[in-house]
Amino acid sequence: RQEAMRLERLGQHPQIPTLVAYFEQDGHRYLVQEFIDGISMETQLQQQGAFDEGQIYQLLRDALPVLQFVHIQQIIHRDIKTQNLIRVPAPNPSVDTGAEASPQAGQLFLVDFGTAKFATASNILLVGTRIGGTGFGPPEQTIGRATFSSDLYGMGVACLRLLTKAPLAELFNRKKQKWEWQCAVKHPVSEGMEHILTKLVRHELRDRYK
């Protein structure tokens, strides 16, 4: 219930769906959130091909402040991936439909807080629910020790997926426990961007952005 109250506050952010309802029934808990009529980054990847550096830079500019807001509320999302980053399409200026543009047009949304964790000083070090299997999550999350940095890791992996369009299993070297993505990018990436993405997805928590 405390987490639902936190999520209700999160929904006041213009890039997070509004929490419509929270209820329990037959021993199960349910969250009902606003539907965002947009296109996920995964769908855009399939439709338009691999992203270039400019698109990745814009994605980070749009998404990281939202994550910062979430973390200030002491919430760890725990499921950052291309499917949960949704952009509402901006109107095509060459097509005049006569209808007013949605106030959400062009905005990037972070959705699906169903696995979010309420982080407190007492539980941040405790083993919690294990979230894994999608390829986007960091190693500490698979053993139930997600931190705020875990969300940044997921954001970094999402960027690698968008830059390469390659299956994540092909980008991760299990023997070395590191992401080897540079040779798979479809468009050139600057040294600065390479440094940012590499640090986001470091295997060791202490080597990542905090």
Side-chain angles (χ1 to χ4, degrees):
R1 292 191 184 95
Q2 286 182 335
E3 290 184 16
M5 291 171 63
R6 290 272 179 174
L7 290 177
E8 188 171 16
R9 283 213 292 273
L10 288 185
Q12 297 171 10
H13 191 283
Q15 291 170 260
I16 296 175
T18 302
L19 181 67
V20 178
Y22 165 78
F23 60 94
E24 299 180 37
Q25 183 175 315
D26 299 329
H28 297 283
R29 298 188 181 109
Y30 296 88
L31 296 171
V32 183
Q33 289 188 290
E34 172 192 12
F35 174 72
I36 303 300
D37 190 10
I39 299 172
S40 75
M41 295 297 98
E42 183 64 34
T43 299
Q44 185 175 336
L45 176 67
Q46 298 303 324
Q47 293 178 348
Q48 301 179 15
F51 284 36
D52 60 27
E53 180 169 334
Q55 290 174 295
I56 295 297
Y57 182 73
Q58 187 62 53
L59 174 65
L60 290 173
R61 281 191 58 134
D62 291 344
L64 290 177
V66 186
L67 264 186
Q68 182 182 34
F69 175 81
V70 171
H71 291 168
I72 287 172
Q73 305 301 318
Q74 299 301 300
I75 294 285
I76 305 170
H77 187 282
R78 297 200 300 178
D79 199 16
I80 304 294
K81 56 187 178 182
T82 50
Q83 293 89 338
N84 286 339
L85 295 164
I86 295 180
R87 192 178 296 280
V88 176
N92 187 339
S94 64
V95 180
D96 184 7
T97 63
E100 288 189 17
S102 164
Q104 299 176 343
Q107 280 193 318
L108 182 81
F109 282 80
L110 176 60
V111 305
D112 194 356
F113 285 81
T115 59
K117 175 184 179 181
F118 177 36
T120 66
S122 60
N123 76 8
I124 192 67
L125 297 178
L126 297 177
V127 175
T129 306
R130 292 164 171 79
I131 305 293
T134 65
F136 290 88
E140 70 274 5
Q141 193 161 292
T142 62
I143 60 171
R145 292 188 179 275
T147 71
F148 297 114
S149 185
S150 303
D151 283 347
L152 294 176
Y153 182 101
M155 183 64 65
V157 176
C159 290
L160 301 189
R161 164 70 178 155
L162 295 171
L163 276 171
T164 64
K165 203 180 178 181
L168 296 181
E170 295 181 6
L171 301 177
F172 188 72
N173 186 320
R174 290 190 175 276
K175 188 174 182 180
K176 296 181 181 178
Q177 290 295 295
K178 65 182 292 189
W179 293 92
E180 297 180 340
W181 54 275
Q182 290 84 345
C183 293
V185 296
K186 306 300 183 185
H187 306 282
V189 176
S190 69
E191 187 175 323
M193 179 62 76
E194 181 180 351
H195 172 78
I196 290 170
L197 296 179
T198 299
K199 188 164 183 176
L200 280 171
V201 298
R202 292 283 189 192
H203 184 76
E204 294 292 337
L205 193 60
R206 63 177 178 269
D207 296 330
R208 283 185 235 143
Y209 292 106
K210 302 298 183 264

